[in-house]
Structures are given as structure tokens and as C-alpha cells.
């Protein structure tokens, strides 16, 4: 917005210098109403000062004084539009900007101001048009060019971005930032060849650099990244060797060289580099992972993702590919040598546990965990949790842990004891061994054993906070969320100053659907005197808002759920808008690779886990509102009697907005700022319960916006396509249903939820075709053809029978199978209900029975069968409150 100050100030100065005598002034003003007299010109300069100093109300008074005498002065109207924009009076700002354009259609100031207004409203295409129009009347205006350039990269309009960057370079070819801007523009557009050529041209135009400099070193590494992305690894290695002397960050240089040589298949050289890096930092997991791959002669990217981030050559979360016996033996020898070279390194002892097997694994595991048990390290189980994907290693972990327990109980010593003969272990060793076994059995869903070991540990030392925290975790896994929250609160009361305990207690309260208590709890650590909900919204506490939204959804408070989800949506919009600050900053600082990673992050912003959960929550909530719309108040029903449903909802929403405007008072002073100034009080929320969000006319249309974003951002997410099938079927968009079914096809064989969505969608399409719901002959033909392809010439009953006979039926698949069977043939409901009761015996966790319980309650609806299922579940999972008899108290489930 401050972009207009320089241009307007220069023009006003010109007006003042060339101002004629008073009599001639009046005549010139009559001939050209865009020329201000001296008094008004000085007032205009004062308004600009107020605007640049963020004194918007004083600036507004100044421009209004000018407009009283000269209401058609275009530049004054443009400044007024910007001031009103800063005061958040957008409608008046648009009126002022358009009035200015009517007064002088060639005023670049007014067109620029209108573009700024559109940019504020995130209407980037219209803003771009306005900036381009402004440039037609002032081609060399740097400020407008910068705004247009920023807008183009925000819109990912790389063609226009390249043109704008080229104009900057043509105007000032000696400026380094203009060269860097054009290079990044070509690179972001994917034109690596031209980007590399531009870098070489720039290097030829400057003096050779003798000493290492950060900015030049970053440019050299950025050039190397471009060469790597072109696929020429040999050229990239050669280039990296040439620039080694001029790069300041030697560690980063080595990491890149290790990755390049690995990709080029030069395993020996790559192995040497990763060994050198381990010598510098033996606790860096990525170095060890790279060493394993290069020493085992495994090509780059096999079993691991080919990451885009140059600063992270390997992915810590990725599992290693399967290694044969020879590779394992070689790596064991390598890590035995490393253990001798780095005896104090924990990671050198931990990494072999990922690839060793059998007795070697047990021996190394025992040597690894004994010092942790002796020292009392609570995070031991969290460190080993990644190994629980291998059943053989799980059995070995249990065997070693039980051996430690037995040794402590019989000899009061741990295996592999290296102290003096006959010296006993500290009593705390037994405590942490019991704690580890409790965690182990909880991981295996054997909650009774977990409780047994935990209770013994609590009797041993009842003051250890970690034990009380883990007790809450077991209750959560066993299905008793209320007792889990109570147990975590007990842990919190043992240390009131621990923010982590306070935050986790809040999380457990939200999962127990106690949002009021959660707000009170989290408020203990927020800023004093602040509303904790408002404070956390300002801090963009997405996890708190997500858990609270999901709690409201579970309890049927859809308006409040939507309100919390809307707050998270706003956080991501703000994050996207904050991108504008980094485009100029990163280029000025020369951090080109960091800038490239930032752009990639922003491109994948809507695939972030918090956004995905939020968007799915929106879709589920709107689908629930479509099934059961929010009930209006009785007074509203009487007032809008006779209207259609859509008209009534529109009228209710309009009335609420009007009432909210009337009820919002003027901001009041509250407290004092850092310089003793009074701070304005926040305006009250016009929709505190989210009623306006819950009563929109078309909930399905609103949900479709989020589904569209999710399908583009996370196309491999099964749940997104399941929700899309349901949504598009309700909107009667049957071709889109078929499109989602196509995406689900590869998940059907392994995911029961995907299979359920497929069968329900096909059943819906069959019913629609039979009822003549599709009248367009070509659309009907496409639907029938796609259904034949998906079904393979079989009926739905035959498809279902074949699918259920394919392999072992898990509890989830059996539940889905029963639901689909009842859908296809309602008369089989009693048989399917009895089968679900028998299924309880094979269930591993209470979660296996949740969906079956819902099916019995709402679809099969046989009270006797439902009661038998509930009793069977309560007997097998006594802690799960979902299956507890109505008369059971919380004390009975303890």
C-alpha cells in the first residue's frame, strides 16, 4: 500500500514547483481539474505523510478536506481508497477508487490503488489486471512492477513473472538482485536450461570472487542444484568440486557431494564421504542411513523416496529396504568398527538394531537397553517403538525385557553387569524395567498385563510423573477416555509448572468431550487477562482447535465445530499470504536454496496434515448437516412461515448479520500499551455459536470446495475419495462419483472402507438408473459402461461374495461385509447380526467393534442382538466405556 507514496510525492512536488500565480492557477484548475493549488497540494503531501505513518484517521480527514473543493481529483481519491482499505472499510474504498478512475482513466495511481484493494481481498487475477493497466500509463514505475511481480509469483504465473523480471533486468542490469530474480524465475518455471545459461552469463559479467562469500557460495550451490535436477550427475559432481573453495558451509557441501556420488553409482567415494560426516556428527541419523545404503551398494531412491529438499538427503521416517545375509554381515562388521571408534555414541549402538536379526539382534538389544534401564531413561520405549513392525523383533524385545525382569527379581542385577561381583543394582532399575514392560504390553494391546506391570511400578515409586502419564495412555488405548483425562490431570497436579503436562491434559479433556474444562485448563498457561480461546487463535494453535472441533462434532454441536474449523482455515490463508514477505527477503539475503524450498512448501501447503484433517472435518460436518439440518429457533419458524427452505435460510442468515451489526459496540479502551497508550478492546463475536455457518443454504456446495482442494493436494488419500463418493452422490453428480470410484479401485482389495464406499456407490447408481434419474442418454450410457467395467459383468451380490472369499476376514472386513449384505438383501439382517456377535471373540481391540456396534444399533436394529453384542464386548474390553452397561459407574471401570 505504501507503494504510491514515492510516485504521488514526486508528482505533487512537480505540481508545487511549477505552480503559476494565483489568477493563472484558477484558470489552469478550470482547464485541468487534476492540478491542485498550492494549499491543497501541501495538504495532499500531509495526507501522504499520515498514510505512511499509519495515522489513517488523520489522513482520511486530510483527503476529505481536499475532496470538498476538488471532488474529482483522481489521485486524492486513490489515496482515500488506500486509507479506507487500511481502516478495513472495503466497500467505501472500492467506491473511491472507481470514482478516481472515472475522473481520470489514465491515472496510474487509481489503477494501482484498485489493484491493491483486489489484492487485499485475495482476488489476485483482478489485481493483476489493474496493475497491468497502471503500467500502461507509467511503464517504468518500479513500485507497480514490484507489486505485479510479487502477484505473479503468488499466482504461479511464471510466464508473466519471467517477463516482469526481464523488464527489471533491462532497466538496471548492474543490480545483482535483478539477475537473481530472473534466474529463480526460469528455475521455478521448470526451464532449467535457460536458468543455468543465465547464471553463467551473470558469472561472466562480474569480477572473479577470490574469497568465500555467503551470497556467492549460495549462488554456486543453487547452480549445482539446477544441474542436478537436469539429471547430469557427472557434470554436477564436477561443478561441485570446482566451487568447493568458495563455499562457506563445508558440511553442506559434503552432504551434497555424498548424495550426488550415490546417485551416480560411485558407492566407494560416497561411502567415504558419509564416514567423514559421521566423524563430524555421529548422532545424525541421515548419515548412518546413507552409509548403510552405500555400503550395501543399494542404488539411490530404492526403498527410499527421492526427496526434493537438498538439505535433507535421506528421510529419517523411511524404512530401509530388505537386506540379504551378506549385506547384514558386512554392516555388522562396519558398525562394530564404528562402536570402537565412537564408544560414547548412542546412535552407533541403535542403528544396527534396524538391520540385524536373530541372536545378533538379541545380543545387541540387551547391550543397548541395559544402560538405559540402569540410568532410568523414560524415552527408551519410544526409541525402540519403530522396531515393532517386525514380529520377530517384537518377540525378541519381549524375551530380553522379561530376562531383565527375572534377573532383577532373582539376583537384583541386570544381565551383562560389568561392576564388581556381588554388587546389586539400584532399586530404580526394577522400576524402569517394569515401566518398559508396561509400555511393551500396551503396544501389543494387552492392557491387562500393561496395567499389572504399571500398578507394580506405581507401588514401587508412586511419585514418578511418567508412570501417571502412561496410566492415562493405557486408559485411552483401552477405551476409557474419561478416566484417561482424570489420570493425566493427576500427573499434572504433581508439577503445576510443567507446560507440557498442562497441554496434554487439555488434549485428553478434549478427547473426553469436555471442552469447557479444557479451555479452563489451557488458560492456566496463556497470557494473563486474555481469553484463552482468542489467544490460542492468534497463536495459530491448530492442534487445539482441531481437537476441539472434533469434540464438538462428536457431540453434535456442528455450528461450534464449523467455527473452530473455519479458524484453522484462516490460519492457512494467513500462511499463504505471509509468503509475500519471503519472496523479496530471500532474494535480498541470497538464500536461494532456502527460497526454493519455501516455494515448494507453499505449493504443498494444502497437503499438510493439519489442513487435511481440517478439510475432512468440514466435509463430514456438512454431510451431517445435510442429513440432519440445524434446527432454527421457534420464533424464526413463525416469522418465516410460508417460505421455502432455501429462502428461509437466506432470510435467517441476513437477519443475523443485520442484528450483529446493530449489536457490535464501539471499541472500548482496555489496558495500556508499551508506551502507555490505550489499547482497543476486541469486538465481540457476532456469531459465537457458529449458527451462521451451520445454516448456510447449500451445505453440499460448500463441502465440494474442500473436496476439490483435497483431491488436488492429497490424491492418494483413500478417505478423501470415500468422502467424495458420498458427497457427489448426494449432489447427484454421478459422473464425479464414477471418477472417485476409479481412484478407489486400487485400494478396494486392501481397505474395507474403500470396498464399502465402492459397493454403496454402485448400489446408489443402480437405483438411480432403475428409477430413471439420469435422463441425458449420453450420460446414462457412460454410467452404464463404467459400471460394467467396474463390476466385470457380475451382479453386486456376486461381487460381494467373491470379495469376501478372497482372504482371511479381519473384524473390520467382517463388519463391512455384514453392512453390504444387509444393503443388498435386508432380509439377512438377523444372520449378519449373529455373525457380528461371534466376531467379538476375534477382535484385538475395542476399536474393532465400534463400527459393528453402530451397525447393530442403527441398521440391523435388533435389540436382543445389540444387547448380546454389547455384553460380549464389555466382557472382553471391560475398560471401554462405549460398551459399559448404562448403570455402570466410573468406579466400576477402574
Amino acid at each position: 500500500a505504501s507503494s504510491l507514496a514515492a510516485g504521488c510525492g514526486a508528482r505533487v512536488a512537480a505540481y508545487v514547483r511549477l505552480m503559476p500565480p494565483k489568477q493563472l492557477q484558477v484558470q489552469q484548475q478550470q482547464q485541468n481539474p487534476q492540478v491542485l493549488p498550492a494549499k491543497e497540494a501541501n495538504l495532499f503531501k500531509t495526507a501522504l505523510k499520515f498514510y505512511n505513518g499509519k495515522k489513517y484517521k488523520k489522513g482520511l480527514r486530510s483527503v476529505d478536506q481536499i475532496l470538498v473543493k476538488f471532488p474529482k481529483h483522481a489521485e486524492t481519491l486513490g489515496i482515500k481508497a488506500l486509507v479506507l482499505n487500511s481502516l478495513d472499510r472495503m466497500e467505501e474504498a472500492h467506491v473511491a477508487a472507481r470514482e478516481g478512475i472515472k475522473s481520470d482513466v489514465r491515472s496510474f495511481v487509481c489503477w494501482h490503488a484498485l489493484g491493491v484493494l483486489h489484492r487485499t481481498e485475495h482476488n489476485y487475477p483482478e489485481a493483476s489486471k489493474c496493475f497491468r493497466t497502471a503500467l500502461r500509463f507509467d511503464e517504468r514505475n518500479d513500485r507497480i512492477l514490484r507489486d505485479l511481480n510479487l502477484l505473479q509469483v503468488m499466482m504461479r504465473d511464471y510466464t508473466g513473472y519471467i517477463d516482469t523480471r526481464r523488464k527489471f533486468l533491462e532497466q538496471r542490469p548492474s543490480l545483482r538482485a535483478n539477475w537473481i530474480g530472473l534466474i529463480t524465475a526460469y528455475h521455478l518455471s521448470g526451464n532449467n536450461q535457460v536458468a543455468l545459461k543465465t547464471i553463467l552469463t551473470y558469472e561472466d559479467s562480474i569480477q572473479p570472487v577470490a574469497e568465500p562469500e555467503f551470497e556467492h557460495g549460495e549462488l554456486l550451490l543453487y547452480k549445482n542444484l539446477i544441474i542436478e535436477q537436469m539429471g547430469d550427475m557427472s557434470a554436477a559432481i564436477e561443478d561441485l568440486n570446482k566451487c568447493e573453495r568458495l563455499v562457506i558451509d563445508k558440511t553442506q557441501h559434503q552432504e551434497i557431494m555424498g548424495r550426488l556420488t550415490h546417485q551416480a553409482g560411485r558407492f566407494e567415494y560416497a561411502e567415504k564421504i558419509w564416514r567423514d560426516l559421521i566423524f563430524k556428527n555421529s548422532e545424525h541419523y541421515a548419515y548412518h542411513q546413507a552409509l548403510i545404503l552405500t555400503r550395501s551398494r543399494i542404488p539411490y531412491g530404492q526403498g527410499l523416496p527421492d526427496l526434493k529438499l537438498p538439505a535433507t538427503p535421506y528421510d529419517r521416517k523411511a524404512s530401509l529396504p530388505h537386506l540379504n545375509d551378506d549385506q547384514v554381515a558386512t554392516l555388522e562388521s562396519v558398525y562394530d568398527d564404528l562402536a570402537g571408534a565412537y564408544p560414547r555414541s548412542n546412535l552407533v549402538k541403535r542403528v544396527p538394531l534396524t538391520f540385524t536379526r536373530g541372536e545378533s539382534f538379541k545380543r545387541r538389544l540387551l547391550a543397548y537397553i541395559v544402560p538405559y534401564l540402569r540410568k532410568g531413561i523414560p524415552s527408551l520405549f519410544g526409541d525402540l517403538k519403530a522396531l515393532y513392525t517386525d514380529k520377530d523383533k517384537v518377540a525378541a524385545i519381549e524375551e530380553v525385557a522379561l530376562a531383565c525382569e527375572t534377573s532383577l527379581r532373582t539376583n537384583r542385577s541386570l544381565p551383562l553387569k560389568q561392576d564388581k561381583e556381588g554388587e546389586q543394582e539400584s532399586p530404580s532399575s526394577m522400576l524402569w524395567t517394569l515401566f518398559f514392560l508396561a509400555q511393551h504390553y500396551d503396544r501389543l494391546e494387552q492392557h491387562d498385563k500393561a496395567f499389572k506391570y504399571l500398578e507394580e511400578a506405581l507401588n514401587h515409586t508412586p511419585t514418578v510423573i511418567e508412570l501417571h502419564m502412561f496410566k492415562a495412555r493405557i486408559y485411552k488405548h483401552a477405551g476409557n477416555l474419561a478416566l484417561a483425562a482424570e489420570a493425566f490431570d493427576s500427573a499434572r497436579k504433581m508439577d503445576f509448572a510443567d507446560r507440557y503436562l498442562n497441554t496434554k491434559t487439555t488434549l485428553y479433556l478434549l478427547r473426553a468431550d469436555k471442552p469447557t474444562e479444557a479451555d479452563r485448563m489451557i488458560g492456566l498457561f496463556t497470557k494473563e487477562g486474555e481469553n484463552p480461546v482468542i489467544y490460542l487463535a492468534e497463536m495459530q494453535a491448530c492442534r487445539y482447535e482441531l481437537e476441539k472441533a472434533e469434540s464438538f462434532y462428536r457431540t453434535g454441536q456442528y455450528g461450534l465445530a464449523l467455527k473452530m474449523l473455519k479458524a484453522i482455515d484462516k490460519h492457512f490463508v494467513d500462511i499463504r499470504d505471509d509468503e509475500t514477505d519471503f519472496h523479496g527477503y530471500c532474494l535480498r539475503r541470497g538464500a536461494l536454496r532456502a527460497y526454493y524450498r519455501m516455494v515448494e512448501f507453499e505449493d504443498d501447503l494444502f497437503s499438510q496434515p493439519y489442513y487435511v484433517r481440517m478439510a475432512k472435518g468440514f466435509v463430514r460436518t456438512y454431510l451431517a448437516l445435510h442429513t440432519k439440518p440445524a434446527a432454527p429457533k421457534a420464533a424464526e419458524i413463525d416469522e418465516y412461515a410460508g417460505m421455502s427452505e432455501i429462502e428461509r435460510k437466506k432470510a435467517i442468515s441476513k437477519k443475523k448479520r443485520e442484528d450483529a451489526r446493530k449489536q457490535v459496540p464501539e471499541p472500548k479502551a482496555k489496558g495500556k500499551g508499551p508506551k502507555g497508550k490505550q489499547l482497543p478492546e476486541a469486538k465481540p463475536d457476532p456469531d459465537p455459536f457458529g449458527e451462521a455457518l451451520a445454516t448456510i443454504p447449500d451445505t453440499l456446495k460448500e463441502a465440494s470446495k474442500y473436496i476439490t482442494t483435497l483431491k488436488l493436494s492429497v490424491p492418494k488419500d483413500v478417505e478423501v475419495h470415500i468422502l467424495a463418493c458420498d458427497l457427489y452422490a448426494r449432489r447427484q453428480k454421478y459422473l464425479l462419483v464414477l471418477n472417485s470410484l476409479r481412484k478407489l479401485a486400487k485400494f478396494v482389495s486392501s481397505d474395507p472402507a474403500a470396498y464399502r464406499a465402492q459397493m454403496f456407490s454402485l448400489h446408489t447408481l443402480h437405483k438411480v438408473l432403475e428409477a430413471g434419474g439420469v435422463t441425458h442418454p449420453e450420460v446414462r450410457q457412460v454410467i452404464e459402461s463404467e459400471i460394467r467395467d467396474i463390476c466385470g459383468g457380475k451382479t453386486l451380490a456376486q461381487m460381494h461374495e467373491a470379495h469376501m472369499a478372497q482372504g482371511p476376514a479381519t473384524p473390520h472386513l467382517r463388519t463391512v461385509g455384514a453392512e453390504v449384505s444387509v444393503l443388498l438383501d435386508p432380509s439377512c439382517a438377523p444372520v449378519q447380526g449373529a455373525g457380528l456377535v461371534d466376531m467379538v471373540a476375534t477382535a484385538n481391540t475395542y476399536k474393532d467393534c465400534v463400527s459393528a456396534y453402530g451397525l447393530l444399533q442403527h441398521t440391523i436394529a435388533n435389540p436382543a442382538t445389540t444387547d448380546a453384542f454389547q455384553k460380549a464386548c464389555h466382557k472382553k474390553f471391560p475398560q471401554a466405556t462405549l460398551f459399559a452397561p448404562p448403570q455402570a459407574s466410573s468406579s466400576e471401570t477402574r
Side-chain angles (χ1 to χ4, degrees):
S2 61
S3 61
L4 303 181
C8 293
R11 293 187 64 167
V12 171
Y15 298 157
V16 173
R17 287 197 304 269
L18 301 176
M19 193 64 64
K22 186 173 182 179
Q23 296 80 3
L24 189 58
Q25 238 180 62
V26 174
Q27 182 180 1
Q28 187 172 349
Q29 174 64 32
Q30 292 174 351
Q31 294 174 354
N32 185 3
Q34 303 307 319
V35 177
L36 291 176
K39 179 181 177 182
E40 283 72 19
N42 289 329
L43 195 57
F44 186 84
K45 290 166 65 178
T46 303
L48 285 176
K49 289 180 181 178
F50 285 139
Y51 176 75
N52 291 329
K54 298 185 178 180
K55 299 177 181 178
Y56 301 123
K57 291 185 178 179
K58 291 183 178 180
L60 183 60
R61 284 196 293 270
S62 298
V63 295
D64 282 341
Q65 291 178 29
I66 300 173
L67 292 173
V68 168
K69 294 184 178 179
F70 306 101
K72 299 295 184 181
H73 189 253
E75 292 184 356
T76 304
L77 287 167
I79 297 299
K80 181 178 181 179
L82 293 174
V83 173
L84 290 170
N85 175 48
S86 301
L87 292 171
D88 201 22
R89 293 159 61 176
M90 296 303 298
E91 293 184 7
E92 298 175 60
H94 275 284
V95 171
R98 295 186 184 282
E99 284 294 327
I101 292 173
K102 288 180 182 178
S103 300
D104 184 5
V105 74
R106 299 180 63 84
S107 171
F108 74 93
V109 175
C110 293
W111 281 108
H112 193 183
L114 185 59
V116 171
L117 298 182
H118 284 307
R119 187 179 64 188
T120 303
E121 296 173 331
H122 306 117
N123 189 354
Y124 296 138
E126 286 299 321
S128 178
K129 291 178 184 177
C130 293
F131 291 152
R132 289 180 183 278
T133 305
L135 284 173
R136 286 170 52 196
F137 306 123
D138 192 355
E139 295 180 358
R140 303 184 68 82
N141 190 306
D142 288 350
R143 184 64 250 184
I144 301 177
L145 269 175
R146 279 195 293 271
D147 284 348
L148 177 60
N149 157 71
L150 185 60
L151 202 61
Q152 286 167 334
V153 72
M154 284 286 292
M155 297 168 60
R156 304 299 188 261
D157 175 17
Y158 291 124
T159 303
Y161 184 47
I162 291 171
D163 291 339
T164 307
R165 274 295 170 192
R166 193 181 292 114
K167 289 180 182 178
F168 274 116
L169 185 59
E170 290 171 355
Q171 289 180 10
R172 300 182 66 181
S174 61
L175 193 63
R176 180 180 186 275
N178 291 340
W179 283 96
I180 299 300
L182 184 60
I183 291 165
T184 56
Y186 281 124
H187 183 212
L188 292 174
S189 68
N191 199 339
N192 294 333
Q193 196 75 36
V194 180
L196 178 60
K197 183 179 179 181
T198 308
I199 292 178
L200 297 175
T201 304
Y202 170 67
E203 289 179 336
D204 293 340
S205 68
I206 61 175
Q207 294 292 332
V209 179
E211 296 297 327
E213 296 177 359
F214 171 77
E215 291 186 3
H216 188 68
E218 276 292 308
L219 178 61
L220 294 175
L221 292 179
Y222 187 65
K223 178 179 74 172
N224 186 263
L225 173 64
I226 294 174
I227 297 173
E228 178 187 352
Q229 291 181 348
M230 292 170 65
D232 191 347
M233 297 305 156
S234 299
I237 293 171
E238 182 181 352
D239 176 76
L240 198 61
N241 281 323
K242 288 180 181 178
C243 68
E244 180 178 6
R245 183 181 61 83
L246 299 175
V247 174
I248 293 178
D249 191 346
K250 301 299 182 184
T251 301
Q252 182 75 94
H253 183 277
Q254 279 186 286
E255 290 179 358
I256 297 172
M257 181 62 78
R259 187 182 70 249
L260 292 176
T261 51
H262 189 180
Q263 292 183 77
R266 297 166 61 176
F267 294 109
E268 294 83 0
Y269 189 29
E271 181 186 347
K272 180 180 180 302
I273 292 172
W274 294 119
R275 282 180 180 270
D276 292 342
L277 287 168
I278 289 174
F279 175 77
K280 290 183 177 181
N281 183 3
S282 63
E283 301 296 335
H284 197 306
Y285 183 80
Y287 296 166
H288 289 275
Q289 192 178 37
L291 176 62
I292 291 172
L293 294 174
T294 51
R295 189 67 183 88
S296 303
R297 304 300 185 256
I298 297 174
Y300 184 86
Q302 182 174 327
L304 293 171
D306 187 5
L307 297 182
K308 299 178 182 178
L309 304 186
T312 312
Y314 300 91
D315 186 5
R316 182 181 179 86
K317 296 181 180 179
S319 59
L320 291 170
H322 179 73
L323 303 174
N324 59 41
D325 293 340
D326 292 337
Q327 290 172 325
V328 170
T330 302
L331 290 174
E332 285 193 71
S333 175
V334 168
Y335 272 88
D336 287 340
D337 295 340
L338 290 176
Y342 312 105
R344 298 176 62 86
S345 173
N346 291 322
L347 204 54
V348 168
K349 301 180 184 71
R350 169 64 179 84
V351 169
L353 299 179
T354 61
F355 56 79
T356 53
R357 296 186 282 267
E359 292 301 321
S360 175
F361 173 79
K362 293 179 185 179
R363 174 175 53 82
R364 292 177 182 275
L365 176 67
L366 183 61
Y368 184 71
I369 69 172
V370 163
Y372 279 79
L373 295 175
R374 184 174 291 141
K375 294 177 182 178
I377 307 298
S379 60
L380 172 60
F381 181 79
D383 185 18
L384 299 177
K385 192 163 57 174
L387 303 174
Y388 276 65
T389 55
D390 188 326
K391 293 182 180 180
D392 294 334
K393 290 185 178 181
V394 172
I397 291 172
E398 182 172 345
E399 181 181 337
V400 170
L402 289 174
C404 292
E405 179 201 9
T406 303
S407 180
L408 285 169
R409 291 189 190 277
T410 55
N411 307 322
R412 298 189 64 182
S413 65
L414 286 165
L416 300 179
K417 189 169 179 61
Q418 299 173 355
D419 297 337
K420 295 179 181 179
E421 189 67 27
E423 186 176 343
Q424 296 180 343
E425 292 285 352
S426 167
S428 65
S429 298
M430 187 65 183
L431 167 69
W432 296 110
T433 302
L434 294 171
F435 182 46
F436 181 84
L437 283 166
Q439 292 174 296
H440 168 77
Y441 286 115
D442 177 66
R443 178 73 177 184
L444 300 182
E445 303 288 352
Q446 299 179 28
H447 302 304
D448 292 339
K449 287 187 178 181
F451 272 119
K452 173 190 169 186
Y453 280 105
L454 184 64
E455 290 298 331
E456 186 178 353
L458 284 168
N459 292 333
H460 185 285
T461 311
T463 57
V464 177
I465 295 178
E466 284 81 6
L467 299 180
H468 294 270
M469 292 166 56
F470 188 66
K471 186 175 184 179
R473 192 173 181 83
I474 298 177
Y475 277 130
K476 181 188 76 170
H477 293 161
N480 197 328
L481 298 177
L483 278 183
E486 184 181 325
F488 221 106
D489 193 40
S490 299
R492 180 190 67 85
K493 290 176 181 177
M494 299 176 73
D495 186 358
F496 287 106
D498 194 323
R499 185 189 294 265
Y500 172 78
L501 293 176
N502 176 270
T503 305
K504 289 293 286 187
T505 304
T506 303
L507 182 63
Y508 273 67
L509 286 169
L510 288 173
R511 288 174 177 170
D513 296 331
K514 298 178 180 179
T516 305
E517 295 179 33
D519 290 344
R520 178 184 59 79
M521 189 66 61
I522 200 68
L524 297 175
F525 275 84
T526 56
K527 189 181 293 185
E528 187 176 356
E530 290 276 354
N531 184 328
V533 178
I534 296 175
Y535 178 77
L536 290 169
E538 292 174 353
M539 298 298 292
Q540 297 185 345
C542 290
R543 187 175 187 184
Y544 164 80
E545 291 168 332
L546 264 175
E547 294 289 348
K548 195 171 183 181
E550 290 170 356
S551 174
F552 285 138
Y553 174 79
R554 288 191 296 268
T555 55
Q557 302 177 68
Y558 298 133
L560 289 170
L562 290 171
K563 190 172 181 62
M564 300 307 296
L565 294 171
K566 199 69 178 177
I568 302 167
D569 193 12
K570 184 179 181 302
H571 297 335
F572 279 88
V573 172
D574 292 342
I575 292 171
R576 188 62 185 267
D577 290 344
D578 290 342
E579 178 190 334
T580 57
D581 299 331
F582 291 93
H583 286 293
Y585 174 79
C586 290
L587 296 182
R588 286 196 305 272
R589 299 293 297 174
L592 301 181
R593 292 177 301 142
Y595 173 68
Y596 180 67
R597 293 197 296 272
M598 185 274 295
V599 173
E600 285 196 324
F601 168 79
E602 291 287 349
D603 287 342
D604 296 334
L605 181 63
F606 297 135
S607 65
Q608 297 298 312
Y610 280 142
Y611 184 87
V612 173
R613 279 179 65 186
M614 178 274 298
K616 290 178 182 177
F618 259 116
V619 176
R620 290 193 203 96
T621 308
Y622 279 130
L623 289 175
L625 283 170
H626 180 261
T627 303
K628 185 180 179 182
K633 299 177 182 178
E636 293 172 341
I637 296 175
D638 295 336
E639 183 178 352
Y640 303 109
M643 292 186 179
S644 67
E645 184 70 15
I646 295 178
E647 292 173 342
R648 182 181 59 78
K649 287 183 178 180
K650 287 182 179 179
I652 292 172
S653 298
K654 182 178 180 182
K655 184 175 184 299
K656 285 180 179 178
R657 289 195 298 271
E658 293 174 352
D659 292 343
R661 291 194 199 101
K662 296 176 184 177
Q663 293 173 4
V664 173
E666 290 294 323
K668 298 179 181 179
K670 177 188 175 184
K672 292 187 176 182
K675 296 183 180 179
K677 297 181 179 179
Q678 294 291 330
L679 298 176
E681 189 178 65
K683 292 183 179 180
D685 191 345
D687 185 26
F689 302 107
E691 295 176 354
L693 292 169
T695 55
I696 60 174
D698 193 346
T699 57
L700 297 182
K701 184 177 180 181
E702 193 69 20
S704 296
K705 299 177 183 177
Y706 292 96
I707 277 291
T708 302
T709 303
L710 288 174
K711 290 175 71 175
L712 293 173
S713 304
V714 283
K716 296 182 180 179
D717 191 317
V718 183
E719 191 178 2
V720 169
H721 299 298
I722 292 172
L723 290 171
C725 285
D726 188 6
L727 174 63
Y728 292 140
R730 297 187 190 209
R731 294 194 67 191
Q732 300 180 8
K733 305 287 186 181
Y734 301 120
L735 294 180
L736 292 176
V737 172
L738 291 171
N739 178 267
S740 297
L741 286 176
R742 284 287 185 186
K743 300 292 176 65
L744 276 178
K746 56 185 175 183
F747 303 108
V748 167
S749 60
S750 58
D751 192 329
Y755 172 67
R756 178 191 179 279
Q758 183 192 58
M759 295 302 292
F760 270 70
S761 299
L762 290 173
H763 184 265
T764 300
L765 292 174
H766 275 294
K767 291 293 184 183
V768 169
L769 292 176
E770 290 174 2
V774 180
T775 56
H776 196 288
E778 293 183 1
V779 173
R780 184 182 182 90
Q781 184 179 358
V782 169
I783 294 175
E784 290 174 346
S785 174
E786 288 293 323
I787 290 176
R788 283 194 299 271
D789 289 344
I790 295 172
C791 296
K794 299 178 182 178
T795 64
L796 293 182
Q798 291 171 338
M799 279 183 64
H800 180 53
E801 183 179 357
H803 184 84
M804 297 302 295
Q806 283 180 357
T810 62
H812 190 187
L813 181 58
R814 289 182 66 176
T815 302
V816 169
E819 188 174 6
V820 173
S821 297
V822 173
L823 175 72
L824 300 178
D825 182 12
S827 64
C828 71
V831 177
Q832 296 299 329
L836 292 177
V837 175
D838 297 337
M839 181 201 74
V840 176
T842 63
N844 295 320
T845 70
Y846 84 97
K847 294 180 181 179
D848 291 337
C849 302
V850 171
S851 57
Y853 190 43
L855 176 63
L856 288 168
Q857 285 180 312
H858 305 298
T859 303
I860 296 179
N862 187 323
T865 306
T866 304
D867 186 57
F869 182 86
Q870 181 183 4
K871 289 179 179 179
C873 289
H874 181 60
K875 182 178 180 180
K876 185 162 186 177
F877 309 109
Q879 289 293 341
T881 53
L882 178 65
F883 308 118
Q887 69 275 13
S889 64
S890 60
S891 61
E892 293 176 12
T893 59
R894 289 176 188 270

